[in-house]
Amino acid sequence: METAEIVVVGAGIIGLTLARELVARGARVLVLEKEGAPGRHASGRNSGVLHAGIYYAPGSARARSCLAGNRLMRAYCRERGLPLEESGKVIVTKCHEELPRLHALFERAQSAGASVSLVDESELREIEPHARTVGRAIHSPLTAVVDPKAVLAGLRDDLRQSRRAEIRFNVRVHGPSGPGSLDTSAGRLAYGAMANASGAHADRLAHAFGKGLRYMLVPFKGLYRKLRPQAAHLVRGSVYPVPDPATPFLGVHFTRSVYGEVYLGPTAIPALGRENYGLLKGLDAEAPSILWRDAMLFASSPVFRRVALSEPRKYLFKHFFADAARLVDALDPADVLPSPKAGIRPQLVDVEQNAMVMDFVTETGPAELHVLNAISPAFTASMAMAPGLADSVLGLSGSAGA
């Protein structure tokens, strides 16, 4: 049986940044990935926005790591010459009733140390000439945009060049095969320490180790559309609505990519599979159990019920467009085109409380770390999270002194 010092399961943004941190500390790392390339799921399918610490509950792991991660990721892109647009973001209101929510969000952002300002309608026109607001808007100059796939490719190259890490693609991890060993599609593998960073599959692997049993995945599908090139001038950077503070979703918004394309989305439609990107694509034998979880949440959680009743309508163009048109002036239905871009948010639910989990979660075993609920802003926060995760991995039995 092959033996590895440290095994990281998953070559998404959390797995690769953790592996990079471990290698920098002198460890030898083997990364196992079930796909044929890094970040085939959430890490490579997001909008590329580097968030700037605005939305998250004070004291939460998301709040602690977001702004620091933004700075680290921007510095990494500059250093590596990777695509980076420091174009900023505005958060706008659709009606006067949203102004108290906007001010509360502004105060939360300030308490988290975010660089934000309140602007009036004329100041907003200077920043985003076509953005529409009522009374006030928030301006976030530190919000930036990257190419997620370019960042993942850069991290992969870093690991290759270190000569202390190996990434093996097309290898599935099924679960433990005994203490300190994994059952994989390539055979059994012993390890000194293992980090589970498998994204939408992290709860499954954790459950196989008897960890995270109170958490179950309830996936949400993020669908995007895009502006036709002739309408791309309507957005300079990113234009977001004021989010509903009771949900973990930010609402349909506009983002100009590093390549000049403007995307609209994502939705937050309850999905029936961990990789259910299309209407039926990605459905498997787990669909009935996910549907049952959705039904339980619908019955018990007003927040989930509100999302479940409002978001599926956005499969229909008229509802998607209506949301988007409230954010900018002069948007015409002909300006909005289909896009194949889609992602799954690996949202966990606490089944003991029948509530969506609003923060990152980690659990440890004798020689295992499980990174759970790596939802937004996990991509932004990843480089700031990596040192703490590496501390946990190196503190596990069998990896001391790595």
Side-chain angles (χ1 to χ4, degrees):
M1 181 166 54
E2 184 182 3
T3 299
E5 183 179 311
I6 298 176
V7 174
V8 174
V9 182
I13 193 65
I14 299 297
L16 293 185
T17 52
L18 173 55
R20 176 173 170 264
E21 180 71 23
L22 290 166
V23 162
R25 300 189 190 190
R28 292 193 175 276
V29 181
L30 173 61
V31 181
L32 302 179
E33 168 57 51
K34 73 180 180 69
E35 304 291 353
R40 284 282 178 87
H41 298 289
S43 296
R45 291 173 173 266
N46 63 71
S47 61
V49 172
L50 298 185
H51 295 286
I54 295 173
Y55 301 102
Y56 315 110
S60 67
R62 296 164 85 195
R64 291 194 303 271
S65 57
C66 181
L67 188 56
N70 172 299
R71 291 172 176 145
L72 289 168
M73 188 75 79
R74 283 189 289 124
Y76 180 80
C77 289
R78 291 193 204 103
E79 180 185 341
R80 297 296 194 280
L82 301 178
L84 171 68
E85 286 293 331
E86 299 179 83
S87 48
K89 171 170 76 175
V90 294
I91 302 172
V92 300
T93 61
K94 299 172 186 174
C95 57
H96 285 288
E97 287 73 21
E98 288 187 343
L99 283 171
R101 192 189 298 175
L102 183 84
H103 284 280
L105 184 62
F106 176 71
E107 291 172 4
R108 170 178 281 194
Q110 283 193 312
S111 70
S115 176
V116 291
S117 60
L118 276 177
V119 298
D120 60 25
E121 293 179 39
S122 63
E123 290 170 315
L124 176 65
R125 292 289 180 185
E126 294 295 317
I127 301 164
E128 282 284 357
H130 298 280
R132 165 188 299 181
T133 199
V134 177
R136 290 286 186 271
I138 293 173
H139 179 220
S140 169
L142 294 184
T143 300
V145 182
V146 300
D147 177 348
K149 292 181 181 177
V151 171
L152 293 162
L155 293 167
R156 180 182 182 180
D157 288 344
D158 292 346
L159 295 177
R160 280 175 172 165
Q161 293 168 17
S162 75
R163 300 185 182 277
R164 299 188 68 85
E166 178 187 357
I167 305 178
R168 292 185 191 169
F169 295 108
N170 301 306
V171 177
R172 289 181 176 268
V173 174
H174 303 305
S177 63
S181 66
L182 290 171
D183 175 24
T184 82
S185 59
R188 293 179 66 204
L189 174 68
Y191 56 82
M194 186 274 289
N196 168 15
S198 54
H201 298 271
D203 63 317
R204 268 182 172 169
L205 185 55
H207 294 168
F209 282 87
K211 299 297 178 181
L213 298 179
R214 68 184 292 173
Y215 304 116
M216 300 289 286
L217 184 83
V218 174
F220 288 84
K221 186 183 308 183
L223 302 177
Y224 292 81
R225 296 179 186 268
K226 63 188 296 188
L227 291 185
R228 65 189 180 102
Q230 296 87 342
H233 68 279
L234 293 175
V235 175
R236 287 179 175 176
S238 295
V239 181
Y240 280 59
V242 180
D244 182 344
T247 77
F249 308 112
L250 300 182
V252 168
H253 51 266
F254 292 78
T255 298
R256 177 178 285 272
S257 80
V258 292
Y259 305 112
E261 300 170 308
V262 177
Y263 286 92
L264 295 75
T267 59
I269 299 169
L272 292 179
R274 295 167 191 262
E275 298 172 17
N276 178 210
Y277 299 117
L279 194 59
L280 298 177
K281 182 182 178 182
L283 295 183
D284 58 24
E286 192 183 12
S289 62
I290 292 175
L291 185 60
W292 175 251
R293 285 173 229 159
D294 285 350
M296 292 297 97
L297 278 172
F298 190 90
S300 62
S301 168
V303 173
F304 181 86
R305 189 159 54 247
R306 185 157 65 248
V307 171
L309 289 173
S310 62
E311 287 290 320
R313 298 182 306 161
K314 295 174 190 175
Y315 267 121
L316 300 176
F317 177 82
K318 69 175 184 178
H319 294 294
F320 188 103
F321 178 81
D323 259 22
R326 295 188 185 102
L327 306 182
V328 299
D329 292 326
L331 186 67
D332 188 272
D335 293 332
V336 182
L337 303 177
S339 170
K341 187 178 178 72
I344 294 291
R345 179 189 178 96
Q347 177 69 51
L348 291 190
V349 168
D350 184 330
V351 295
E352 294 180 7
Q353 298 183 358
N354 271 329
M356 288 187 281
V357 181
M358 302 293 279
D359 204 4
F360 307 141
V361 175
T362 58
E363 292 204 6
T364 56
E368 299 83 31
L369 169 69
H370 302 278
V371 184
L372 306 173
N373 209 46
I375 55 174
S376 180
F379 193 98
T380 301
S382 58
M383 289 184 175
M385 295 168 64
L389 297 177
D391 288 343
S392 296
V393 172
L394 293 174
L396 297 171
S397 65
S399 61

